[in-house]
Amino acid sequence: MFGDIMGMMGKIKETQQKVEETKKRLDSLLIDEKSSDNLINITLTANRKIKSITIDDNLLSDKEMLEDYLIFTLNKAIEKATNVNETELAAVAKEGMPNIPGMDMFK
């Protein structure tokens, strides 16, 4: 019995380490998003940290349009990054789930 518990604890600790490694790797995975007309380009990490924003000079004269472009493009970029982040972390967590009877719903 204690061997099973120790084995599960080891597996959980190993999974936590893999999750942390995955989070670090996601800091270097870049997601690029641009407006449909390429007037704004945004790059962020899969951990949703903005790395760069490039704005075409044509947008600088219209504050409202610039704000709309930023909101729309940032939201698209964040959604993409969130999907990548959640998929990667879920795969690591699922891989590390111990085999506990009755807990098949997580696999």
Side-chain angles (χ1 to χ4, degrees):
M1 178 176 164
F2 287 116
D4 290 344
I5 292 173
M6 294 305 290
M8 281 194 317
M9 295 300 286
K11 186 81 167 165
I12 289 170
K13 187 172 183 151
E14 181 182 317
T15 300
Q16 287 174 331
Q17 182 178 352
K18 286 183 179 180
V19 166
E20 290 306 313
E21 289 169 2
T22 301
K23 285 180 182 178
K24 284 182 183 176
R25 185 175 58 75
L26 292 174
D27 273 334
S28 63
L29 182 61
L30 299 179
I31 308 293
D32 292 314
E33 185 62 51
K34 54 182 109 183
S35 61
S36 59
D37 52 10
N38 293 325
L39 295 179
I40 290 191
N41 294 303
I42 296 173
T43 301
L44 65 157
T45 70
N47 281 329
R48 298 172 297 271
K49 303 270 192 265
I50 297 171
K51 291 304 216 176
S52 71
I53 298 176
T54 305
I55 301 170
D56 188 280
D57 290 341
N58 293 327
L59 285 176
L60 297 179
S61 61
D62 187 341
K63 182 180 182 283
E64 279 187 40
M65 188 169 13
L66 174 57
E67 290 169 348
D68 290 343
Y69 267 77
L70 280 171
I71 290 168
F72 183 75
T73 309
L74 278 166
N75 282 332
K76 282 186 1 185
I78 291 167
E79 183 179 341
K80 267 188 186 178
T82 298
N83 288 338
V84 170
N85 184 288
E86 289 175 354
T87 300
E88 293 284 326
L89 291 177
V92 172
K94 182 178 179 182
E95 175 186 311
M97 284 294 291
N99 189 16
I100 301 171
M103 298 296 279
D104 297 350
M105 66 185 134
F106 296 113
K107 292 206 170 207

